Amino acid sequence: MKVTKAQSAENRAGIVEAAARLYREKGLGGVGVADITRNAGLTHGGLYRHFDSKDALAREACLRAFDWTITPLDKLEVEGGPHDPAARLHALVHGYLSAEHRDHPGDGCPAAALAVDAARAGPEMSEVFAQGVESNIQRFAHAIMSDGPHAPGAEERAQTIHVLASMVGGLVLARATAAGNPALSEEILATLREQLAPEPKPTSKQKPKPKPKSKSGARR
């Protein structure tokens, strides 16, 4: 049975999605062609009808992985929440440095999952990874800026790089220690959350409660 163009495009997208997820879970060297096609529900030979090589697939899958979602931040965007930079930074940091993100790398940030692999995979993969990191810098900068959509300035870009690099490094350490020392893993996440985006403090002092009057009102 001949495969339609629409079905072929769907199959290709399925392969890319499967590869993007599996690479983040197991690393670039820990996933074979058979793993990817099986996960995508296709035959082994189906991959090479869409990609010249496994390396070509890895590059496209890596770039696709950078479209990952941080639920708290994206929820603010969808619901049109307050464009308060502090609230958005809080959502970004606390969503990224969460146990959920730590424990499900296949759905998360490829920078934390694949940075070491990408550095060893040669200049072509490094170029793709650099594009993905740059897209995350732009995306996060826009998410936490206070003045609406515009190109981030030097200060905003520097802040974003600082936050992103701190989160990536923290998540890598939290994942590396999670099995051997869960308490340390949690401590790393909690410490960075507090350092990068502490819980907001009350802005106004509560007025002292008036002293209750005696029922008779008489002085003694």
Side-chain angles (χ1 to χ4, degrees):
M1 183 177 177
K2 188 176 180 180
V3 177
T4 65
K5 288 184 178 180
Q7 184 61 54
S8 178
E10 185 177 333
N11 290 345
R12 191 181 194 282
I15 291 171
V16 173
E17 289 288 345
R21 182 173 60 256
L22 289 172
Y23 284 141
R24 281 175 285 176
E25 288 177 356
K26 301 179 180 181
L28 294 177
V31 182
V33 171
D35 298 318
I36 296 170
T37 52
R38 182 170 57 251
N39 198 272
L42 301 171
T43 61
H44 184 101
L47 185 145
Y48 293 107
R49 286 195 290 271
H50 299 283
F51 301 94
D52 294 334
S53 66
K54 185 183 174 183
D55 289 343
L57 167 60
R59 290 192 293 271
E60 184 166 338
C62 183
L63 198 56
R64 173 65 185 88
F66 275 98
D67 290 334
W68 63 286
T69 296
I70 300 179
T71 302
L73 182 61
D74 291 342
K75 188 175 180 181
L76 275 179
E77 297 288 347
V78 170
E79 294 180 354
H83 202 98
D84 175 5
R88 292 177 180 275
L89 178 62
H90 187 276
L92 170 64
V93 170
H94 285 246
Y96 194 106
L97 294 171
S98 64
E100 176 75 13
H101 191 193
R102 178 196 62 195
D103 297 340
H104 297 87
D107 299 320
C109 177
L114 295 172
V116 174
D117 287 359
R120 295 171 176 165
E124 290 184 332
M125 177 59 80
S126 179
E127 182 180 355
V128 167
F129 207 80
Q131 291 177 34
V133 171
E134 178 61 36
S135 72
N136 265 4
I137 292 172
Q138 295 290 331
R139 174 187 174 197
F140 293 168
H142 282 295
I144 61 179
M145 284 191 304
S146 58
D147 299 328
H150 65 270
E155 185 176 345
E156 292 164 329
R157 182 177 174 84
Q159 180 195 9
T160 304
I161 291 174
H162 168 71
V163 171
L164 177 60
S166 299
M167 293 193 304
V168 169
L171 188 61
V172 169
L173 291 179
R175 284 176 176 164
T177 56
N181 191 335
L184 175 59
S185 179
E186 291 290 345
E187 182 184 8
I188 291 168
L189 294 177
T191 299
L192 279 173
R193 287 195 300 264
E194 179 60 27
Q195 291 293 319
L196 296 173
E199 294 290 343
K201 296 179 180 179
T203 55
S204 60
K205 295 182 180 180
Q206 291 183 345
K207 294 181 180 180
K209 294 181 180 180
K211 294 180 180 180
K213 296 180 180 180
S214 61
K215 290 182 180 180
S216 62
R219 296 181 179 178
R220 292 189 178 184

